[in-house]
Structures are given as structure tokens and as C-alpha cells.
Amino acid sequence: MTTQSSETSSSESQAIPHNLTWRDGFALTLVIPMGIFATLGPLIGSIGSGAVAALYVACGLMAMLQNFFHAEMASMFPDKAGGIPLYAHEAWKRYLPAIGSVVTFGYWAGWAFSNAVYALLMGQLLQGQFFPGATWSISTGTSHLGLAGIIGVATLIVVWLLNAYGVRQTALMNKILGALVVLLIVILVVLPLVEGEFHASGITWGLTTAGPWHGWRLVFAFMFVFAWTTYGTEAAAVFTPEYRTPRTDTPKALVSSGAFTVVVAVALTLGVGGTLTDKVIGQDPNSMYTQAFAKVVGPASAVITILLAAALFVIMNSCTAVAGRALYALAKDDMTIKQFNHLNSRGLPARAMLADLVLNVVMIVFVGNTLGIIFASNIGYMVATVMVLAGFVLLRRDRPDWPRPIRVPRLLVPLAGVLALVNAVFLVVAFLFPGDAGYGGTAEQIIGVGVLLASLALYAYRRRVQDRGTRAEPSQVGTSSASSG
């Protein structure tokens, strides 16, 4: 056993309660289709709704296949509260001990840093609709904080309080708000068909073979963008330790969330494209929903604003819940500073979620630039995805007799390696050519790499300073863990 301080031992002795069903896991992943809802306009404006729908199907099918591998790994490590990056750590630690820190930190950044983006979008949405004359701002030295930023900060605080109080309440709120936004989607998809406002001729295909690499470079760059949205359904695996029956609840939550995301993505994309036409959407992607509702149900801008704000709130709720658990698990497995290895009296990682809150508030107040945040979080998330899938193959090879209540057929094991390679291609192409999908340039590349380098710095501080003389060497720990099954 590794020697731990009394504070750490006390934290690790606490157990996360088993009080979630697969329906709760599904509700917590409603963040995924809501993310599609919030970002669809610019995508259609770039390549047309026909191409967007096709790429969503391709990416969604990949996500569902990957979820089966995630489910097996979740069943192998039911005590790992951080989800898929912790499974990668288990697979890689005997070869590259620091890789767990990079993967988990990248995964955490993918969920955590996006909250600053969603909070700013919510603030801008509410200000534009209800307070259009509030154009004042306060200089923070590096940026300007206006009403939109203040609303965003206030929303972040409310989200943190809800998550620190208890994930069951968060899941319940997600179900309620998710139902409201699903109603909005139904109106946009079904009513145009009923009223005769849907015209298939408005749907276009913006991908051609005329671009670099006969158009494939653009496809890969956009698949990188789509993957951040559709792959997020694996978040249901993060809550494996909290399911009442992990063996059955985990795969149900993963598969149902993946299928639902594909259906919503395709229906919403084609519904809006056929109602407004891609040409109209391309002229002003940010007003897409306002125009669609005006055409289908008449003037209803206030209702639209409230429902869109609800969608963003759902996204932030789930991002906070997932990011907090990932950072807590990172510290619990000795991969970042030990202060985050702590659960509050309700068995929830409040400190880790507080760190998420502070970082996002800092970004809103002192940065206010969403482009670099999105790009940085996406790079880390895709690195995590590649290493997790490769880790699945390693676990099958290194621990063939380890208990697996959920087991993927042996013939499909090589598919995990293929998917890891495909995702690596998406990552490399998007990183080298960020302008293809509108992600920016050199500055954003530096930010993305900086996030991963920071994880290595925190890992080194934990190992060389906080754990000095209190733990076995990484190689010994890895060998012990690998043989314990």
C-alpha cells in the first residue's frame, strides 16, 4: 500500500454514494444535444445542412462504437470516479506514468473551460434581448467586463452551488430543462412539416473535392469540431461509481445518450435547413433560431431567449458535474495536487468544482476570448480520446483475466485501435490547419499545447514536492496495480 497523509487517507475513505439510475446518466448527457442546438448556425453557414447532417451521423456512429469500449473499461474499474481518462491511466501507467495526468487534464479541460464560453453566450443572449441599452463596461486591465460578463459570472456561481449541493438535483433540473429544449426542437422540426414550411430544396451540400487533399482536409477539420459534441456522450461513464447497478446502468446510459444525440443532430439540422434554407442561414447564422421561430410560430423572441438560456444552463450544469469528478479523480490517483482529493459531507468533489468555477470566472473577467478557450479544450479532449481507445487495447493485452462484467467481443478489439488512429488524424489535421474550420491560428495552437504542458507541471509538483518520500516509485506502483487483479 502507498503511504498517505492522514488528510488524504480521510478523503479516500469517503465513498461516492450509489444513488443514480441510467436515466440520470442519460439526463446528465443532455448537454450533448444542447451543445448541438447552441452551435448549429455557424456550421450550416459554412458547409450546408446536408453536409452537417451527414458528418453528424458519421461522428455519432463512431461515438456509439467507442461507448461500448468505454462501457467495458467502466466495468473493470467501478471505483474510478473520473471516468474514461482514469481508465487510460490504468492502461498506460506501467509504460508512461505521466500520461494519465495529460489525458485526464485534457479531458477535464474539454469539459471545464467550455463553461466560460457558455456563460458568456448566455450573458450576451440575455443582455441583447432584455437590456439592449446596457452598453457600459468596466476595465479589468486585460479586458472589459460588461453586463453580459456579470450575468455569466453569476450563472457560473449558481451552477456551482447546485452541483455542490447534490448531483441528483442537477440531474432532475437537467430533465426539466432538457424537456423544454426538446420541445423547442420539436417545434422547429415538426411544425414546418405540418404547416408546409419545410422545403428539401433549401438543404445544400457544401463539401466538394476541389479543396486541399480533394476536400478531405476540410472533412477531417470539421470532424474534429463535431467530435467534441458527439463524443461527449461518454460522460455517462464518469458516473459509473454512482449508478445503483453499474453493470446494467452504464451501457444503457452510454448507448441511449449516443443514439439520442444522433437523432437530435440530424433532425434539427435538416429541419432548420429545410425551413429557412441554407442560403438564408449563411447570411446570418447567429439569428438562425430567431428567424426560424418567426417563420413557424410568429414573433416570439422573448420565449426563444428564455429557452436558449435554459439550454445553456443545462450545458453548464453537466460540464460542471463531469469536470469536477475528473479533477477529483486526477488528484485521487496522485496525478495533480492533493488538495483536490476531497469530498464534501454529501460525497461530492466540491473543491474540484470550485476550482472549475474560479478558472472560468477568471477567463470571463480577464480574458473574454472564447475562440482560444474552445480550441484549447478541444485539443485536450481529443488527446484524451485517442489515448483512452489505445488504452483499451493495452488493457486487453496486459490484463486478459481482469474481471469484466461488460465485455466487448474479441473480434471487435482491433476496432478500438482503428478508431484511435482515425481520431489521431482528426486531431493532427485540425491542429495543423485550424483556419479550415474557423478555429484561428498560431495563438490558439499555443494555448492548446499550453493546457497539456500545464498538466505535466502539476504532475511533476505532486510527485517531486507533495509526495516526496511518501510513495513508491511509479514503476513499482504500476506493477503492483497491474498484478492486483
Side-chain angles (χ1 to χ4, degrees):
M1 292 292 290
T2 301
T3 303
Q4 303 284 350
S5 67
S6 59
E7 178 183 355
T8 304
S9 298
S10 174
S11 297
E12 291 188 346
S13 64
Q14 295 171 281
I16 296 180
H18 296 260
N19 56 8
L20 298 181
T21 68
W22 71 268
R23 296 177 185 84
D24 294 320
F26 172 79
L28 287 163
T29 59
L30 282 175
V31 56
I32 311 308
M34 297 312 106
I36 294 169
F37 182 83
T39 60
L40 190 57
L43 292 174
I44 294 178
S46 297
I47 57 176
S49 56
V52 170
L55 292 183
Y56 263 131
V57 170
C59 221
L61 291 176
M62 286 182 60
M64 292 180 69
L65 287 173
Q66 291 167 180
N67 281 348
F68 285 103
F69 301 119
H70 298 150
E72 177 176 314
M73 289 186 285
S75 73
M76 292 178 65
F77 309 104
D79 60 331
K80 295 295 180 183
I84 64 170
L86 269 296
Y87 313 151
H89 169 59
E90 286 291 330
W92 286 96
K93 65 183 180 183
R94 64 160 59 178
Y95 305 104
L96 297 170
I99 201 66
S101 176
V102 175
V103 171
T104 309
F105 201 89
Y107 178 85
W108 172 73
W111 286 94
F113 296 169
S114 60
N115 266 354
V117 176
Y118 295 132
L120 279 173
L121 289 176
M122 176 181 282
Q124 294 164 0
L125 186 68
L126 295 176
Q127 178 187 339
Q129 177 62 45
F130 299 108
F131 310 101
T135 58
W136 52 267
S137 64
I138 303 171
S139 176
T140 61
T142 58
S143 184
H144 287 82
L145 182 66
L147 179 60
I150 292 175
I151 292 173
V153 170
T155 304
L156 287 170
I157 294 173
V158 171
V159 169
W160 175 77
L161 289 172
L162 285 172
N163 277 274
Y165 182 74
V167 72
R168 285 286 297 182
Q169 287 74 16
T170 303
L172 177 60
M173 178 168 290
N174 275 19
K175 290 177 183 178
I176 297 172
L177 296 179
L180 290 176
V181 182
V182 169
L183 175 62
L184 176 62
I185 293 173
V186 169
I187 292 174
L188 289 173
V189 174
V190 177
L191 281 188
L193 293 172
V194 174
E195 298 178 355
E197 297 288 352
F198 177 87
H199 302 285
S201 59
I203 298 172
T204 61
W205 183 274
L207 295 174
T208 69
T209 58
W213 307 351
H214 300 290
W216 282 106
R217 199 176 86 181
L218 183 63
V219 171
F220 294 156
F222 269 99
M223 286 294 278
F224 173 81
V225 180
F226 284 62
W228 185 89
T229 306
T230 54
Y231 288 8
T233 55
E234 48 72 23
V238 172
F239 299 96
T240 296
E242 298 175 66
Y243 290 131
R244 293 175 183 172
T245 312
R247 181 174 181 177
T248 56
D249 284 336
T250 300
K252 285 181 180 179
L254 289 169
V255 174
S256 61
S257 61
F260 181 73
T261 297
V262 172
V263 171
V264 169
V266 174
L268 182 60
T269 301
L270 297 181
V272 177
T275 300
L276 288 181
T277 75
D278 293 349
K279 181 179 180 180
V280 171
I281 295 173
Q283 293 171 352
D284 188 5
N286 294 328
S287 68
M288 181 181 73
Y289 295 110
T290 302
Q291 295 183 69
F293 263 82
K295 187 172 184 179
V296 177
V297 298
S301 58
V303 175
I304 294 170
T305 298
I306 292 172
L307 289 175
L308 287 176
L312 293 172
F313 197 86
V314 169
I315 292 172
M316 294 169 64
N317 247 340
S318 290
C319 286
T320 300
V322 173
R325 282 156 179 77
L327 186 57
Y328 160 74
L330 192 65
K332 186 177 180 179
D333 273 27
D334 305 333
M335 291 183 289
T336 193
I337 55 176
K338 62 175 63 178
Q339 283 78 8
F340 295 129
N341 181 13
H342 174 80
L343 300 175
N344 65 11
S345 60
R346 297 181 180 275
L348 298 169
R351 283 186 187 175
M353 290 189 287
L354 179 61
D356 173 39
L357 167 67
V358 171
L359 288 173
N360 280 290
V361 168
V362 167
M363 289 180 182
I364 289 179
V365 175
F366 296 104
V367 180
N369 179 8
T370 61
L371 188 61
I373 299 170
I374 292 174
F375 187 71
S377 64
N378 215 28
I379 289 175
Y381 184 81
M382 288 298 283
V383 168
T385 298
V386 171
M387 298 307 294
V388 168
L389 290 169
F392 173 87
V393 179
L394 288 179
L395 287 171
R396 273 297 186 97
R397 186 192 69 182
D398 296 343
R399 310 187 195 183
D401 299 323
W402 194 287
R404 290 172 169 84
I406 302 169
R407 179 180 288 269
V408 174
R410 182 177 299 178
L411 290 176
L412 296 182
V413 172
L415 180 60
V418 173
L419 290 171
L421 179 60
V422 171
N423 282 298
V425 171
F426 296 162
L427 172 61
V428 171
V429 172
F431 182 81
L432 294 177
F433 308 101
D436 286 7
Y439 266 75
T442 304
E444 289 72 26
Q445 291 170 320
I446 294 173
I447 292 172
V449 174
V451 170
L452 300 180
L453 292 178
S455 69
L456 290 174
L458 292 174
Y459 173 81
Y461 181 80
R462 173 65 186 264
R463 293 301 179 98
R464 295 181 179 275
V465 178
Q466 292 188 326
D467 289 343
R468 172 180 262 178
T470 65
R471 67 188 316 279
E473 292 299 317
S475 60
Q476 294 173 326
V477 174
T479 302
S480 176
S481 298
S483 62
S484 62

